[in-house]
Amino acid sequence: MVMFLFLVVALAVVVGAVTLAVVGGGDNAPLPEAEPERLQDSLPPDRPVSRADVDRLRFPLAARGYRMTDVDDALGRLAAELAERDARIADLESALAGARAAAAHLTMDKPAAHPEDDHR
């Protein structure tokens, strides 16, 4: 029984010493605080995002997956650019439809050329 109590106390002392060595120590701690991993190659702020930018995009891993703020920022940027491109495409399609309608209207108003006029 005495031997069992001695082993329990020795185990508690060893666990306590290891815990203090790892956690304690202030600035000279054996395990300093690690900087959280950040997004290295973010989306370019000075130009539109290209397919290659999205292919190169890699999110750093966090304790529970990816850093939510990095993913939210990237998805927000992509969503804004896609909405801008969709609006631009809709404007261009509308302008093209208007130009085609105007061209069709001009061809209907233009009198048809008679084949006899070409021989004179």
Side-chain angles (χ1 to χ4, degrees):
M1 180 74 170
V2 174
M3 184 64 132
F4 178 73
L5 288 175
F6 176 74
L7 288 176
V8 169
V9 170
L11 181 64
V13 169
V14 169
V15 169
V18 169
T19 303
L20 286 175
V22 171
V23 175
D27 292 336
N28 298 327
L31 295 176
E33 286 294 321
E35 286 293 318
E37 198 175 345
R38 295 290 180 196
L39 188 61
Q40 295 296 323
D41 297 322
S42 60
L43 299 173
D46 56 340
R47 62 177 172 78
V49 176
S50 69
R51 169 73 189 256
D53 295 326
V54 175
D55 288 341
R56 278 193 308 268
L57 190 61
R58 296 290 178 260
F59 296 105
L61 293 176
R64 295 175 55 189
Y66 294 105
R67 295 186 62 78
M68 199 179 327
T69 56
D70 291 340
V71 175
D72 288 345
D73 290 345
L75 290 177
R77 169 79 188 276
L78 290 172
E81 286 202 21
L82 288 174
E84 182 180 322
R85 288 179 188 174
D86 288 346
R88 178 75 175 140
I89 288 170
D91 289 344
L92 291 173
E93 286 177 342
S94 175
L96 179 61
R100 284 182 177 162
H105 183 66
L106 285 176
T107 56
M108 290 179 149
D109 289 346
K110 188 176 183 182
H114 295 289
E116 307 92 44
D117 293 342
D118 292 341
H119 295 293
R120 290 186 192 173

PDB file of all heavy atoms in Angstrom, residues 1-20:
ATOM      1  N   MET A   1       0.814  -1.183   0.000  1.00  0.00           N
ATOM      2  CA  MET A   1       0.000   0.000   0.000  1.00  0.00           C
ATOM      3  C   MET A   1       0.867   1.260   0.000  1.00  0.00           C
ATOM      4  O   MET A   1       0.539   2.221  -0.677  1.00  0.00           O
ATOM      5  CB  MET A   1      -0.917  -0.059   1.235  1.00  0.00           C
ATOM      6  CG  MET A   1      -1.813   1.106   1.366  1.00  0.00           C
ATOM      7  SD  MET A   1      -3.098   0.979   0.151  1.00  0.00           S
ATOM      8  CE  MET A   1      -4.150   2.226   0.667  1.00  0.00           C
ATOM      9  N   VAL A   2       1.950   1.251   0.766  1.00  0.00           N
ATOM     10  CA  VAL A   2       2.846   2.398   0.833  1.00  0.00           C
ATOM     11  C   VAL A   2       3.499   2.611  -0.528  1.00  0.00           C
ATOM     12  O   VAL A   2       3.650   3.744  -0.983  1.00  0.00           O
ATOM     13  CB  VAL A   2       3.914   2.179   1.945  1.00  0.00           C
ATOM     14  CG1 VAL A   2       4.949   3.283   1.933  1.00  0.00           C
ATOM     15  CG2 VAL A   2       3.249   2.054   3.279  1.00  0.00           C
ATOM     16  N   MET A   3       3.863   1.511  -1.168  1.00  0.00           N
ATOM     17  CA  MET A   3       4.481   1.612  -2.484  1.00  0.00           C
ATOM     18  C   MET A   3       3.498   2.224  -3.490  1.00  0.00           C
ATOM     19  O   MET A   3       3.893   3.027  -4.327  1.00  0.00           O
ATOM     20  CB  MET A   3       4.926   0.224  -2.944  1.00  0.00           C
ATOM     21  CG  MET A   3       5.661   0.270  -4.235  1.00  0.00           C
ATOM     22  SD  MET A   3       7.170   1.195  -4.026  1.00  0.00           S
ATOM     23  CE  MET A   3       8.279   0.110  -4.787  1.00  0.00           C
ATOM     24  N   PHE A   4       2.224   1.851  -3.412  1.00  0.00           N
ATOM     25  CA  PHE A   4       1.207   2.411  -4.307  1.00  0.00           C
ATOM     26  C   PHE A   4       1.051   3.913  -4.094  1.00  0.00           C
ATOM     27  O   PHE A   4       0.990   4.675  -5.059  1.00  0.00           O
ATOM     28  CB  PHE A   4      -0.135   1.697  -4.078  1.00  0.00           C
ATOM     29  CG  PHE A   4      -1.246   2.246  -4.911  1.00  0.00           C
ATOM     30  CD1 PHE A   4      -1.299   2.006  -6.270  1.00  0.00           C
ATOM     31  CD2 PHE A   4      -2.245   3.024  -4.339  1.00  0.00           C
ATOM     32  CE1 PHE A   4      -2.312   2.525  -7.031  1.00  0.00           C
ATOM     33  CE2 PHE A   4      -3.261   3.550  -5.096  1.00  0.00           C
ATOM     34  CZ  PHE A   4      -3.306   3.297  -6.462  1.00  0.00           C
ATOM     35  N   LEU A   5       1.011   4.359  -2.847  1.00  0.00           N
ATOM     36  CA  LEU A   5       0.903   5.786  -2.561  1.00  0.00           C
ATOM     37  C   LEU A   5       2.139   6.548  -3.045  1.00  0.00           C
ATOM     38  O   LEU A   5       2.033   7.653  -3.570  1.00  0.00           O
ATOM     39  CB  LEU A   5       0.689   6.020  -1.062  1.00  0.00           C
ATOM     40  CG  LEU A   5      -0.678   5.648  -0.526  1.00  0.00           C
ATOM     41  CD1 LEU A   5      -0.712   5.810   0.994  1.00  0.00           C
ATOM     42  CD2 LEU A   5      -1.751   6.486  -1.159  1.00  0.00           C
ATOM     43  N   PHE A   6       3.297   5.929  -2.879  1.00  0.00           N
ATOM     44  CA  PHE A   6       4.529   6.560  -3.377  1.00  0.00           C
ATOM     45  C   PHE A   6       4.484   6.729  -4.893  1.00  0.00           C
ATOM     46  O   PHE A   6       4.855   7.773  -5.419  1.00  0.00           O
ATOM     47  CB  PHE A   6       5.744   5.724  -2.954  1.00  0.00           C
ATOM     48  CG  PHE A   6       7.028   6.254  -3.511  1.00  0.00           C
ATOM     49  CD1 PHE A   6       7.610   7.414  -3.001  1.00  0.00           C
ATOM     50  CD2 PHE A   6       7.651   5.615  -4.576  1.00  0.00           C
ATOM     51  CE1 PHE A   6       8.789   7.914  -3.527  1.00  0.00           C
ATOM     52  CE2 PHE A   6       8.822   6.120  -5.112  1.00  0.00           C
ATOM     53  CZ  PHE A   6       9.400   7.267  -4.579  1.00  0.00           C
ATOM     54  N   LEU A   7       4.025   5.709  -5.610  1.00  0.00           N
ATOM     55  CA  LEU A   7       3.930   5.799  -7.078  1.00  0.00           C
ATOM     56  C   LEU A   7       2.913   6.856  -7.515  1.00  0.00           C
ATOM     57  O   LEU A   7       3.130   7.584  -8.485  1.00  0.00           O
ATOM     58  CB  LEU A   7       3.568   4.433  -7.656  1.00  0.00           C
ATOM     59  CG  LEU A   7       4.676   3.379  -7.611  1.00  0.00           C
ATOM     60  CD1 LEU A   7       4.147   2.050  -8.119  1.00  0.00           C
ATOM     61  CD2 LEU A   7       5.872   3.821  -8.428  1.00  0.00           C
ATOM     62  N   VAL A   8       1.815   6.956  -6.814  1.00  0.00           N
ATOM     63  CA  VAL A   8       0.799   7.962  -7.146  1.00  0.00           C
ATOM     64  C   VAL A   8       1.356   9.365  -6.928  1.00  0.00           C
ATOM     65  O   VAL A   8       1.191  10.261  -7.765  1.00  0.00           O
ATOM     66  CB  VAL A   8      -0.495   7.735  -6.336  1.00  0.00           C
ATOM     67  CG1 VAL A   8      -1.441   8.915  -6.470  1.00  0.00           C
ATOM     68  CG2 VAL A   8      -1.173   6.451  -6.767  1.00  0.00           C
ATOM     69  N   VAL A   9       2.044   9.587  -5.823  1.00  0.00           N
ATOM     70  CA  VAL A   9       2.632  10.902  -5.544  1.00  0.00           C
ATOM     71  C   VAL A   9       3.736  11.214  -6.559  1.00  0.00           C
ATOM     72  O   VAL A   9       3.823  12.338  -7.068  1.00  0.00           O
ATOM     73  CB  VAL A   9       3.163  10.954  -4.087  1.00  0.00           C
ATOM     74  CG1 VAL A   9       3.996  12.212  -3.850  1.00  0.00           C
ATOM     75  CG2 VAL A   9       2.024  10.873  -3.105  1.00  0.00           C
ATOM     76  N   ALA A  10       4.564  10.243  -6.884  1.00  0.00           N
ATOM     77  CA  ALA A  10       5.634  10.450  -7.862  1.00  0.00           C
ATOM     78  C   ALA A  10       5.044  10.779  -9.235  1.00  0.00           C
ATOM     79  O   ALA A  10       5.537  11.674  -9.946  1.00  0.00           O
ATOM     80  CB  ALA A  10       6.524   9.212  -7.940  1.00  0.00           C
ATOM     81  N   LEU A  11       3.987  10.086  -9.618  1.00  0.00           N
ATOM     82  CA  LEU A  11       3.326  10.354 -10.892  1.00  0.00           C
ATOM     83  C   LEU A  11       2.734  11.763 -10.905  1.00  0.00           C
ATOM     84  O   LEU A  11       2.853  12.490 -11.907  1.00  0.00           O
ATOM     85  CB  LEU A  11       2.233   9.316 -11.149  1.00  0.00           C
ATOM     86  CG  LEU A  11       1.468   9.460 -12.459  1.00  0.00           C
ATOM     87  CD1 LEU A  11       2.394   9.255 -13.642  1.00  0.00           C
ATOM     88  CD2 LEU A  11       0.307   8.497 -12.518  1.00  0.00           C
ATOM     89  N   ALA A  12       2.123  12.183  -9.805  1.00  0.00           N
ATOM     90  CA  ALA A  12       1.560  13.532  -9.718  1.00  0.00           C
ATOM     91  C   ALA A  12       2.652  14.582  -9.815  1.00  0.00           C
ATOM     92  O   ALA A  12       2.484  15.622 -10.484  1.00  0.00           O
ATOM     93  CB  ALA A  12       0.770  13.688  -8.423  1.00  0.00           C
ATOM     94  N   VAL A  13       3.801  14.343  -9.203  1.00  0.00           N
ATOM     95  CA  VAL A  13       4.916  15.292  -9.269  1.00  0.00           C
ATOM     96  C   VAL A  13       5.448  15.385 -10.697  1.00  0.00           C
ATOM     97  O   VAL A  13       5.699  16.477 -11.211  1.00  0.00           O
ATOM     98  CB  VAL A  13       6.035  14.899  -8.275  1.00  0.00           C
ATOM     99  CG1 VAL A  13       7.304  15.694  -8.523  1.00  0.00           C
ATOM    100  CG2 VAL A  13       5.556  15.075  -6.845  1.00  0.00           C
ATOM    101  N   VAL A  14       5.589  14.258 -11.367  1.00  0.00           N
ATOM    102  CA  VAL A  14       6.100  14.254 -12.746  1.00  0.00           C
ATOM    103  C   VAL A  14       5.115  14.965 -13.674  1.00  0.00           C
ATOM    104  O   VAL A  14       5.508  15.801 -14.503  1.00  0.00           O
ATOM    105  CB  VAL A  14       6.379  12.813 -13.220  1.00  0.00           C
ATOM    106  CG1 VAL A  14       6.644  12.778 -14.720  1.00  0.00           C
ATOM    107  CG2 VAL A  14       7.547  12.222 -12.456  1.00  0.00           C
ATOM    108  N   VAL A  15       3.831  14.684 -13.567  1.00  0.00           N
ATOM    109  CA  VAL A  15       2.824  15.336 -14.412  1.00  0.00           C
ATOM    110  C   VAL A  15       2.801  16.836 -14.137  1.00  0.00           C
ATOM    111  O   VAL A  15       2.729  17.653 -15.063  1.00  0.00           O
ATOM    112  CB  VAL A  15       1.427  14.698 -14.190  1.00  0.00           C
ATOM    113  CG1 VAL A  15       0.337  15.539 -14.841  1.00  0.00           C
ATOM    114  CG2 VAL A  15       1.404  13.296 -14.736  1.00  0.00           C
ATOM    115  N   GLY A  16       2.862  17.223 -12.888  1.00  0.00           N
ATOM    116  CA  GLY A  16       2.891  18.645 -12.554  1.00  0.00           C
ATOM    117  C   GLY A  16       4.122  19.339 -13.094  1.00  0.00           C
ATOM    118  O   GLY A  16       4.043  20.454 -13.625  1.00  0.00           O
ATOM    119  N   ALA A  17       5.297  18.711 -13.015  1.00  0.00           N
ATOM    120  CA  ALA A  17       6.538  19.308 -13.528  1.00  0.00           C
ATOM    121  C   ALA A  17       6.477  19.469 -15.046  1.00  0.00           C
ATOM    122  O   ALA A  17       6.876  20.503 -15.591  1.00  0.00           O
ATOM    123  CB  ALA A  17       7.735  18.458 -13.112  1.00  0.00           C
ATOM    124  N   VAL A  18       5.981  18.458 -15.738  1.00  0.00           N
ATOM    125  CA  VAL A  18       5.872  18.547 -17.206  1.00  0.00           C
ATOM    126  C   VAL A  18       4.866  19.633 -17.578  1.00  0.00           C
ATOM    127  O   VAL A  18       5.106  20.426 -18.502  1.00  0.00           O
ATOM    128  CB  VAL A  18       5.469  17.180 -17.798  1.00  0.00           C
ATOM    129  CG1 VAL A  18       5.087  17.310 -19.264  1.00  0.00           C
ATOM    130  CG2 VAL A  18       6.600  16.177 -17.622  1.00  0.00           C
ATOM    131  N   THR A  19       3.759  19.719 -16.884  1.00  0.00           N
ATOM    132  CA  THR A  19       2.754  20.744 -17.172  1.00  0.00           C
ATOM    133  C   THR A  19       3.323  22.137 -16.951  1.00  0.00           C
ATOM    134  O   THR A  19       3.139  23.026 -17.794  1.00  0.00           O
ATOM    135  CB  THR A  19       1.517  20.538 -16.283  1.00  0.00           C
ATOM    136  OG1 THR A  19       1.001  19.234 -16.500  1.00  0.00           O
ATOM    137  CG2 THR A  19       0.449  21.567 -16.585  1.00  0.00           C
ATOM    138  N   LEU A  20       4.019  22.350 -15.869  1.00  0.00           N
ATOM    139  CA  LEU A  20       4.630  23.659 -15.621  1.00  0.00           C
ATOM    140  C   LEU A  20       5.707  23.988 -16.644  1.00  0.00           C
ATOM    141  O   LEU A  20       5.853  25.144 -17.050  1.00  0.00           O
ATOM    142  CB  LEU A  20       5.212  23.709 -14.206  1.00  0.00           C
ATOM    143  CG  LEU A  20       4.204  23.833 -13.079  1.00  0.00           C
ATOM    144  CD1 LEU A  20       4.911  23.759 -11.725  1.00  0.00           C
ATOM    145  CD2 LEU A  20       3.425  25.127 -13.202  1.00  0.00           C
TER     146      LEU A  20
END
